[in-house]
Amino acid sequence: MTVAPAARINALPGAREQLLEATSQLMREGDVIDISLAELSVRSGLNSALVKYYFGNKAGLLKALLDRDWQAIVTSVDALVHKEDWDAETKMRRHISKVVDTFFAVPYLNPLTLRMVRESSESEARRIADCYLAPMYRAYESMIGEGVRQGLFRAIDPQLFYFTVTGAVDRFFAARLVLKHCFDQDTLTERHRDRYREHVIDIIMAGILAR
Amino acid sequence: MTVAPAARINALPGAREQLLEATSQLMREGDVIDISLAELSVRSGLNSALVKYYFGNKAGLLKALLDRDWQAIVTSVDALVHKEDWDAETKMRRHISKVVDTFFAVPYLNPLTLRMVRESSESEARRIADCYLAPMYRAYESMIGEGVRQGLFRAIDPQLFYFTVTGAVDRFFAARLVLKHCFDQDTLTERHRDRYREHVIDIIMAGILAR
């Protein structure tokens, strides 16, 4: 592909979002973080010079994808925490269900986050922590505190609980290869997702509900 | 370093185990799977030609480490499953406690396993699944089946439960960087391990015990 003039590149409507979505799809399908600009160009049908135009370089593209996916999560968790008419148990069930959906849709998000934190400058790592991880932690603190006050939950540590929930879900979706070789299941279907959602909500809610 | 003659290399007592242990330490400390033979030589104090001698190449070294760590786990789980005088609840509590210890000692094991499965031939991937993953799954099936028969556990899916347990623990130890930037905790100490052990046993046992 040849490099199009900047003026023409500028004019493409939706190209930025298209590049992000194509990146997301490639990571999800390949179960990898490392994608090539050549692959991305083929998948998106867009000139790879657009990556430079919109994101500066590949690191910028990955950062924009991280921002896209995390912003959706943080906004949704924030709305959930502030639902005045739901009790803490309802909120937590809905939240875990959403975490399962999220890891099904963007299974690369945890590895991508860890990698960006590892490979970024101290200030960018801090930004990721402040913008995405800290709000999640505060949401857990709020939901669990509420549940304890309402007499619904046992008093558990929100930070450790956050690791328990995301870990339990993350591992399942990171483990497609294990599923394949160990259980002869070649792909992770929506049926798997629904079965796992039910299982994980069942175990974790039983784990935190006051008797 | 110069390459020592094979006869002399052959004579080094414990060198094979020393190389494996140094590899394990480097992965644990650096939170990485990719270590260089130069680093390994410095850490072990051994000539890196010994890697070729004992393991053929770096892939062989990684395979031997995977075997070393998994064999210890499978042997220990097998002994636990066959403890005649323990009920299923005691077994499961002890098992989860051991999983926490294992991921604390060898936090690279899950990423290493996934990578070896991904990068190996079909037959080697199958061997890993058969020798290490399938026995774990069968142990879960046995312990949970026993617990249900003893009226101690609810009937839950052993395969999904296996993902829940290992995920909940794995994520915690894979997330040192998150701890650092999000919670200002620079290292993962034995105190963290003990706190998390207590938390995860508490949540998961409450999740599976029959009411």
Side-chain angles (χ1 to χ4, degrees):
Chain A
M1 285 192 172
T2 55
V3 177
R8 203 177 134 215
I9 289 174
N10 198 3
L12 285 173
R16 186 178 186 281
E17 287 62 38
Q18 230 172 304
L19 285 169
L20 289 176
E21 185 51 30
T23 304
S24 172
Q25 286 173 13
L26 287 170
M27 287 185 181
R28 181 177 197 278
E29 289 164 20
D31 228 349
V32 290
I33 304 298
D34 292 300
I35 63 151
S36 74
L37 293 186
E39 279 178 293
L40 177 57
S41 179
V42 170
R43 167 61 63 110
S44 64
L46 294 170
N47 190 316
S48 64
L50 285 165
V51 170
K52 191 164 167 21
Y53 178 78
Y54 286 114
F55 308 106
N57 53 28
K58 197 156 87 176
L61 170 72
L62 297 186
K63 176 173 180 294
L65 182 63
L66 191 82
D67 287 342
R68 183 195 82 159
D69 291 344
W70 268 112
Q71 270 157 19
I73 293 169
V74 168
T75 304
S76 146
V77 168
D78 195 55
L80 184 61
V81 167
H82 290 97
K83 277 224 175 281
E84 303 263 319
D85 45 342
W86 288 7
D87 68 17
E89 182 179 348
T90 309
K91 286 181 186 178
M92 187 58 80
R93 281 186 192 279
R94 175 63 71 93
H95 169 68
I96 301 172
S97 174
K98 284 223 146 198
V99 176
V100 172
D101 289 342
T102 300
F103 283 111
F104 188 77
V106 292
Y108 54 79
L109 190 59
N110 262 323
L112 180 63
T113 305
L114 287 174
R115 177 165 160 172
M116 298 298 280
V117 169
R118 191 198 302 267
E119 294 181 1
S120 298
S121 64
E122 187 65 30
S123 67
E124 171 61 9
R126 168 63 58 183
R127 184 191 73 87
I128 295 170
D130 288 349
C131 292
Y132 305 131
L133 307 176
M136 291 306 287
Y137 174 60
R138 285 195 302 268
Y140 274 69
E141 220 173 22
S142 160
M143 279 190 286
I144 291 171
E146 200 173 275
V148 171
R149 282 192 305 276
Q150 292 168 349
L152 295 168
F153 294 167
R154 302 187 293 130
I156 52 171
D157 183 308
Q159 180 185 336
L160 300 182
F161 187 69
Y162 171 68
F163 285 116
T164 306
V165 171
T166 53
V169 179
D170 176 47
R171 170 116 175 90
F172 182 65
F173 294 113
R176 271 189 257 197
L177 286 166
V178 174
L179 277 178
K180 181 175 167 199
H181 293 283
C182 208
F183 301 113
D184 285 317
Q185 294 168 359
D186 226 348
T187 49
L188 200 62
T189 63
E190 290 179 12
R191 203 181 58 82
H192 284 112
R193 179 196 61 196
D194 296 342
R195 230 179 103 215
Y196 196 64
R197 183 197 285 115
E198 200 182 323
H199 166 82
V200 87
I201 290 178
D202 178 48
I203 291 278
I204 290 182
M205 292 311 295
I208 63 167
L209 283 173
R211 303 293 167 98
Chain B
M1 282 190 174
T2 57
V3 177
R8 204 178 132 214
I9 289 174
N10 198 3
L12 284 173
R16 187 178 185 281
E17 287 63 39
Q18 231 173 303
L19 285 169
L20 289 175
E21 184 50 30
T23 304
S24 172
Q25 286 174 14
L26 287 169
M27 287 185 180
R28 181 178 198 277
E29 289 164 21
D31 228 349
V32 290
I33 305 299
D34 292 300
I35 62 151
S36 74
L37 293 186
E39 279 178 293
L40 177 57
S41 179
V42 170
R43 167 61 63 110
S44 64
L46 294 169
N47 191 316
S48 65
L50 285 164
V51 170
K52 189 165 171 19
Y53 179 78
Y54 287 113
F55 309 106
N57 54 26
K58 197 157 87 177
L61 170 72
L62 297 186
K63 176 173 180 294
L65 182 63
L66 191 82
D67 288 342
R68 185 196 80 159
D69 290 344
W70 269 112
Q71 270 157 21
I73 292 170
V74 168
T75 305
S76 145
V77 167
D78 195 57
L80 185 61
V81 166
H82 291 96
K83 278 226 173 280
E84 304 264 318
D85 45 342
W86 287 9
D87 68 18
E89 181 181 347
T90 309
K91 287 181 187 178
M92 187 58 80
R93 281 185 191 280
R94 175 62 73 95
H95 169 67
I96 300 172
S97 175
K98 284 222 150 202
V99 176
V100 172
D101 288 341
T102 300
F103 283 110
F104 188 76
V106 293
Y108 53 80
L109 190 59
N110 261 323
L112 179 64
T113 305
L114 287 174
R115 176 164 162 174
M116 297 298 280
V117 169
R118 189 199 303 265
E119 294 181 2
S120 298
S121 65
E122 187 65 31
S123 68
E124 171 62 9
R126 170 61 61 185
R127 183 191 73 86
I128 294 170
D130 288 349
C131 293
Y132 305 132
L133 307 175
M136 291 306 289
Y137 174 60
R138 286 196 300 269
Y140 273 70
E141 219 173 22
S142 162
M143 279 190 285
I144 290 171
E146 202 173 274
V148 170
R149 283 192 304 278
Q150 291 168 349
L152 295 169
F153 294 167
R154 302 186 293 131
I156 51 171
D157 182 308
Q159 180 185 334
L160 300 182
F161 187 68
Y162 172 68
F163 285 117
T164 306
V165 172
T166 53
V169 179
D170 176 47
R171 169 116 175 91
F172 182 64
F173 293 114
R176 270 189 258 196
L177 285 166
V178 174
L179 277 178
K180 182 176 165 197
H181 294 284
C182 208
F183 301 113
D184 286 318
Q185 294 167 0
D186 226 348
T187 50
L188 201 62
T189 62
E190 290 178 12
R191 202 180 59 82
H192 284 113
R193 179 196 62 198
D194 296 344
R195 231 179 102 214
Y196 196 65
R197 181 197 286 116
E198 201 183 321
H199 166 83
V200 86
I201 291 178
D202 178 49
I203 291 278
I204 291 182
M205 293 311 296
I208 64 169
L209 283 173
R211 304 294 166 99

